Amino acid sequence: MTSLDSYLTLGRSGLRVSPLSLGTMTFGEDSGWGSNPETSQAILAEYLDRGGNVVDTANTYTNGHSEKIIGDFFASRSGLRERVVLSTKFFANLHPGDPNGGGAGRKALIAQLEESLRRLRTDHVDLYWLHGWDRRAPIEETLRALHDLVTAGKIRYVGVCNLPAWVTAQAQTIAHLRGWTPVTALQLEYSLLQRTPEGEQLPMAEALSEGVLPWSPLRGGQLAGKYRRDASAPADSPRAGRLSGPTEREWDIIEAVARVAEEIGASSAEVALAWVRGRPAVTSTLIGARTPEQLRANLASLEITLTPEQRAALDDPSTPSLDFPADITAGPGPMLGFGGTTVDGVEHPAWPMLLASSARY
């Protein structure tokens, strides 16, 4: 059992964050399924009162309304802003027709930050996230602009979201070689229904000392316990209703979660969140809520500790099929390199295609 104020260090930095971060894509009703400003601020207040300290938004969330709701909240509470790790994201173009309104070029990202700061009613953000991959902007340009913003005191740390692993690795290498602000953390989709980041993204994050903040740990509500094979879209979840229905394999995973939840007397959402929170490389898991009740249900996952047997019951049906070379590096690779020996406590069987004594020629 843990709590929101059991803080963790984010990547290779001095920044401490809660094990659950408050995602605010639901703040504002502009998209047709979020919360009004009063409810949004009630959710934010309860999260902070419970000891949470990470508030995550983006310039594109409800067309900037999410940032404004957050900014208005902190503006009315003197001194609270500095007690919070406030993060937002850039990349989305909020000015259709303007080719420099979005993306990751210097002009675009600086302009986006200034607009976010205005809506958030603050002079800096603690984490500034690149929200997507701009294939046309040189990564050096993006990194140098972000470093200049750190130097200017307008941002504190840099993160990336939804980038290919090789792009993140390239960015981190360039930042270190040039003495620029490094990538402290990454956001990616990760849940029992989306485990493919285990092929490249998560091993990269561990190797580069980057903190991981998974988003959509309940896969749009599909792991929240409301889905059944005969009624895949809950009537009270308009956003989830837009998602395609689970596949047969995904139904097997959803039902495995439900069985573990029943066994320990918890909800499926609590079990699914506890599973993500306990995965290697994960620092803080992003949760979202449209109501205070949903927030409380998500926070209850902090009281869950899964046994090895329960984790195995969830791991087995959800084990992903990974792209090359993950299938080799996880299995035949160590066998080929260390076959017939025990290294770092792991016993590796002999490579079957080699003879008993292979060095014969």
Side-chain angles (χ1 to χ4, degrees):
M1 179 177 175
T2 187
S3 61
L4 268 181
D5 57 2
S6 297
Y7 303 111
L8 302 162
T9 299
L10 185 64
R12 190 172 182 271
S13 78
L15 188 64
R16 325 300 180 187
V17 298
S18 297
L20 295 178
S21 298
L22 182 62
T24 63
M25 191 166 66
T26 58
F27 282 18
E29 299 174 298
D30 308 60
S31 300
W33 46 264
S35 307
N36 62 39
E38 294 76 19
T39 301
S40 299
Q41 292 193 356
I43 292 169
L44 179 52
E46 182 162 348
Y47 170 79
L48 297 175
D49 287 344
R50 294 276 294 271
N53 77 332
V54 181
V55 180
D56 181 81
T57 187
N59 68 336
T60 189
Y61 290 172
T62 51
N63 297 317
H65 196 188
S66 173
E67 289 183 325
K68 184 178 186 304
I69 291 170
I70 294 167
D72 292 345
F73 176 88
F74 286 115
S76 66
R77 292 161 174 81
S78 178
L80 184 58
R81 159 68 187 93
E82 283 305 322
R83 309 279 72 79
V84 172
V85 177
L86 182 59
S87 73
T88 192
K89 308 178 189 74
F90 70 95
F91 183 71
N93 190 348
L94 301 187
H95 304 281
D98 178 3
N100 295 305
R106 174 181 285 269
K107 174 178 171 61
L109 74 87
I110 292 176
Q112 289 173 78
L113 177 63
E114 294 298 338
E115 292 182 354
S116 289
L117 292 176
R118 174 179 56 80
R119 289 187 290 264
L120 290 167
R121 301 175 69 173
T122 186
D123 62 359
H124 73 280
V125 293
D126 300 297
L127 260 171
Y128 199 37
W129 299 90
L130 171 58
H131 208 171
W133 181 24
D134 186 345
R135 296 169 182 261
R136 301 297 183 185
I139 195 66
E140 296 89 343
E141 179 178 337
T142 303
L143 292 169
R144 182 54 199 252
L146 291 169
H147 178 69
D148 289 346
L149 291 172
V150 172
T151 302
K154 293 194 173 185
I155 65 176
R156 301 291 189 256
Y157 297 91
V158 171
V160 298
C161 312
N162 312 321
L163 267 60
W166 71 266
V167 177
T168 302
Q170 179 189 45
Q172 190 72 303
T173 302
I174 291 172
H176 280 303
L177 288 175
R178 299 197 177 183
W180 295 343
T181 303
V183 176
T184 296
L186 66 151
Q187 287 191 28
L188 45 78
E189 183 181 4
Y190 188 47
S191 72
L192 278 161
L193 293 178
Q194 176 54 282
R195 290 182 58 184
T196 55
E198 294 173 15
E200 295 281 350
Q201 298 275 4
L202 296 184
M204 175 202 67
E206 289 188 286
L208 299 181
S209 299
E210 296 170 344
V212 175
L213 283 75
W215 56 264
S216 198
L218 300 180
R219 193 66 180 276
Q222 291 184 352
L223 289 165
K226 298 180 180 180
Y227 277 69
R228 297 293 182 270
R229 285 186 188 264
D230 57 348
S232 61
D236 64 342
S237 182
R239 176 175 173 243
R242 300 176 188 177
L243 302 174
S244 59
T247 64
E248 287 302 308
R249 176 180 177 275
E250 289 172 336
W251 279 126
D252 292 340
I253 298 169
I254 291 169
E255 292 177 348
V257 173
R259 286 192 295 270
V260 172
E262 183 178 5
E263 175 186 332
I264 62 178
S267 70
S268 289
E270 291 171 37
V271 170
L273 286 169
W275 181 89
V276 171
R277 189 168 50 82
R279 298 297 291 174
V282 171
T283 303
S284 180
T285 302
L286 285 155
I287 58 171
R290 290 184 295 112
T291 66
E293 292 75 21
Q294 287 183 350
L295 173 68
R296 293 172 201 135
N298 287 338
L299 296 182
S301 67
L302 293 170
E303 301 175 7
I304 302 299
T305 300
L306 298 174
T307 66
E309 293 76 18
Q310 290 161 351
R311 285 195 168 276
L314 300 173
D315 290 344
D316 291 345
S318 64
T319 299
S321 176
L322 301 175
D323 291 339
F324 174 88
D327 54 345
I328 291 180
T329 56
M335 187 186 300
L336 181 60
F338 308 107
T341 66
T342 299
V343 178
D344 294 331
V346 179
E347 183 178 346
H348 302 281
W351 181 247
M353 287 186 284
L354 295 179
L355 301 176
S357 178
S358 58
R360 295 188 171 192
Y361 303 101

